[in-house]
Amino acid sequence: AQSVTQPDIHITVSEGASLELRCNYSYGATPYLFWYVQSPGQGLQLLLKYFSGDTLVQGIKGFEAEFKRSQSSFNLRKPSVHWSDAAEYFCAVGVLAGANNLFFGTGTRLTVIP
Amino acid sequence: DSGVTQTPKHLITATGQRVTLRCSPRSGDLSVYWYQQSLDQGLQFLIQYYNGEERAKGNILERFSAQQFPDLHSELNLSSLELGDSALYFCASSGSGSQETQYFGPGTRLLVL
């Protein structure tokens, strides 16, 4: 069965500092992996996705993520965090074979301090 | 703006009642997905429709049902509501390919009193 683990419930970083949010997945086949961001009171916005090919994927807002098959990980990174990045971040794995429903991790809440 | 619209934004109702949530997918998208986000369960997939047909089912209760209409909009019906059904309900849509991204609507916040 597929599952996603985000081990950090809450992370606090200073503005301008680097960020890494962890995501580990469990899935029997090659995964489709996603990072979404949810700002307070908002829906989910796609940051980036990995389907195949280059394991380092670039997303919007300066985010990137690296797929590491050997570690079953898809960690999200940003070199310099902005105050507007404060939000909840969700990692998800996509299930294929006709049904593309997503399985989400529990989310990591990011607080940015000045 | 993802292009997915959901109505209403907020809904307050009482236990035992029935409500209908509505979703309009992005133009051209054939797939619609429903998700529930609650404090207890996190974000959970409920059900997927593709071009009017049910495609996949997740953790959807028997009290809940959905359908997708010929114009591709979808409705999620929640009946015999319980306090625990209070949650944010998201709709997402995607195209027909196997590598299609899901785009999420703003959600409907349901409060059952």
Side-chain angles (χ1 to χ4, degrees):
Chain A
Q2 54 283 323
S3 66
V4 178
T5 301
Q6 292 180 249
D8 304 306
I9 296 174
H10 187 198
I11 283 183
T12 299
V13 300
S14 299
E15 190 168 16
S18 64
L19 172 70
E20 182 169 26
L21 302 182
R22 295 183 291 166
C23 172
N24 292 95
Y25 68 89
S26 173
Y27 185 51
T30 300
Y32 286 6
L33 296 162
F34 306 80
W35 276 99
Y36 284 85
V37 61
Q38 184 180 27
S39 297
Q42 302 295 313
L44 294 160
Q45 181 183 24
L46 179 70
L47 285 176
L48 46 78
K49 61 187 178 185
Y50 171 77
F51 284 168
S52 64
D54 192 348
T55 57
L56 184 63
V57 293
Q58 303 296 321
I60 62 172
K61 304 183 180 185
F63 285 93
E64 66 177 28
E66 186 171 11
F67 170 58
K68 293 186 178 180
R69 185 186 300 274
S70 61
Q71 299 177 19
S72 297
S73 69
F74 188 57
N75 294 348
L76 182 71
R77 301 193 294 249
K78 186 170 184 177
S80 178
V81 169
H82 188 262
W83 64 266
S84 61
D85 294 324
E88 185 121 22
Y89 291 79
F90 292 92
C91 181
V93 61
V95 177
L96 302 177
N100 296 344
N101 43 296
L102 298 175
F103 288 85
F104 285 87
T106 49
T108 297
R109 180 168 299 279
L110 174 65
T111 297
V112 181
I113 56 177
Chain B
D1 184 357
S2 67
V4 179
T5 60
Q6 291 187 248
T7 56
K9 277 191 173 180
H10 303 276
L11 201 47
I12 302 175
T13 187
T15 54
Q17 295 299 304
R18 172 189 170 95
V19 297
T20 297
L21 313 183
R22 182 188 169 101
C23 168
S24 292
R26 294 188 319 154
S27 177
D29 281 357
L30 298 179
S31 274
V32 169
Y33 311 77
W34 286 97
Y35 292 84
Q36 179 195 58
Q37 185 179 33
S38 66
L39 290 175
D40 292 343
Q41 302 292 328
L43 257 168
Q44 286 199 105
F45 166 71
L46 295 178
I47 196 164
Q48 177 199 0
Y49 276 80
Y50 176 80
N51 202 21
E53 301 289 327
E54 183 184 301
R55 176 67 66 93
K57 250 183 179 178
N59 296 324
I60 188 166
L61 300 172
E62 286 194 12
R63 300 183 286 108
F64 296 0
S65 65
Q67 54 184 326
Q68 187 179 25
F69 295 86
D71 67 352
L72 301 177
H73 91 271
S74 178
E75 293 180 356
L76 179 66
N77 300 295
L78 315 177
S79 61
S80 303
L81 285 168
E82 303 175 359
L83 296 178
D85 297 327
S86 296
L88 192 51
Y89 291 85
F90 286 111
C91 168
S93 75
S94 73
S96 55
S98 63
Q99 298 188 3
E100 297 289 337
T101 297
Q102 291 183 31
Y103 293 91
F104 283 74
T108 293
R109 185 169 295 280
L110 173 67
L111 180 59
V112 182
L113 300 176

